[in-house]
Structures are given as C-alpha cells and as structure tokens.
Amino acid sequence: MATKTNYIEKFYPCIISVIAGVLVYCFFADGVVSGVFGKIFASQFLSVIITVEGVLFGFLLTVLSVIMQMNNKELELIKELGRYKDLIGFGKSALFACFLVVAVSLVVLLISGNNELTYGIFAAVWTFSFVLSILNLHRFVRVFFLIAKSA
C-alpha cells in the first residue's frame, strides 16, 4: 500500500522542477534573470554542465548495472525493505534527467540569435531539466546509501 510519504518521495523532483521552470519563465523578462541566463548561455558554463552531466550519466549507468548484478546480504536487505524497485526506479529517473540536461544544453548551445522569447523558453526548460537532475540524483543517492550504511 502506497503511503503519502511514498507519493511525496516519488513526485517531489518533478513538482519542484516544474515550479522552478515556471518561475524562470515568468520572471525571465526581469533584467536580473535574463542577465544571469544570458551569461550562463554565453559562457563555458554549459560546456562544463554537459561534461559533468555526461560523467554522471556514465557513473549512474555503471552503478545500476553493478547493482542489478549483485546478490549479497545488503541487497537482500534492500529487497526485504521493499526499496529495491525504488532504487532501480530512482536510478532510471536520474539517468533520464542527466540525459535531458545534456540534450537541452546542447540545443541551447546550437540556437543562434538573441530572440528573447526563445531564450526565455530554453531558460525555463533548462532550469526544469537541471533541477530535475539534481533532485533525482539526490533521491537515488539517498536510497543507495542504505546499501552502504548496512554494509
């Protein structure tokens, strides 16, 4: 039976990410927000984000592959606690979010011109994907540390 806490844990990354994206889009016309994203989009920051998220993607893929092949007492404990499906599901969500950040960042690097509307939309989508990635990684790592803590 799913509890209220399970629903919160499952959906909080998406809800917070949508809120962050909407706020960025709503306030993008403000000089401060558009100035910040103008500097982010025009700097090497996106290249660094693409590199970091790509490394995280590879790391998560490796960790998930290793976890799925493991069969030890710590993993059995995770299965008994009913957190194995959560761990795998959260890992998949984190993988998707990392890939989304890389894809959106690459699109932002490829768009040209200074169309305010286009940058506002991409700033909102990029913010959504970046916040989603961070929160999904946090959620996955929190459950993953159950294995480390029990070892």
Side-chain angles (χ1 to χ4, degrees), residues 58-70 140 144:
F59 175 73
L60 284 170
L61 199 57
T62 303
V63 167
L64 283 172
S65 297
V66 169
I67 288 173
M68 289 178 168
Q69 299 300 320
M70 286 174 40
F140 174 73
F144 179 74

Side-chain angles (χ1 to χ4, degrees), residues 40-41 43-53 105 109:
I40 288 173
F41 291 169
S43 69
Q44 294 291 346
F45 184 72
L46 279 181
S47 297
V48 172
I49 290 293
I50 291 170
T51 302
V52 169
E53 290 287 339
S105 297
L109 283 175

Side-chain angles (χ1 to χ4, degrees), residues 74-110:
E74 289 82 17
L75 197 58
E76 292 301 321
L77 176 64
I78 296 293
K79 288 179 181 178
E80 287 175 17
L81 293 172
R83 300 295 287 185
Y84 183 75
K85 285 185 179 182
D86 291 339
L87 180 67
I88 300 303
F90 294 164
K92 288 178 183 178
S93 297
L95 276 170
F96 171 75
C98 287
F99 178 76
L100 186 63
V101 171
V102 170
V104 171
S105 297
L106 286 171
V107 169
V108 168
L109 283 175
L110 294 176

Side-chain angles (χ1 to χ4, degrees), residues 135-151:
L135 293 176
N136 276 323
L137 285 168
H138 170 263
R139 188 174 63 175
F140 174 73
V141 168
R142 196 177 71 237
V143 176
F144 179 74
F145 279 134
L146 287 174
I147 295 173
K149 185 178 179 183
S150 66

Side-chain angles (χ1 to χ4, degrees), residues 20-30 120 124:
V22 168
L23 287 174
V24 166
Y25 182 74
C26 289
F27 292 109
F28 191 77
D30 181 22

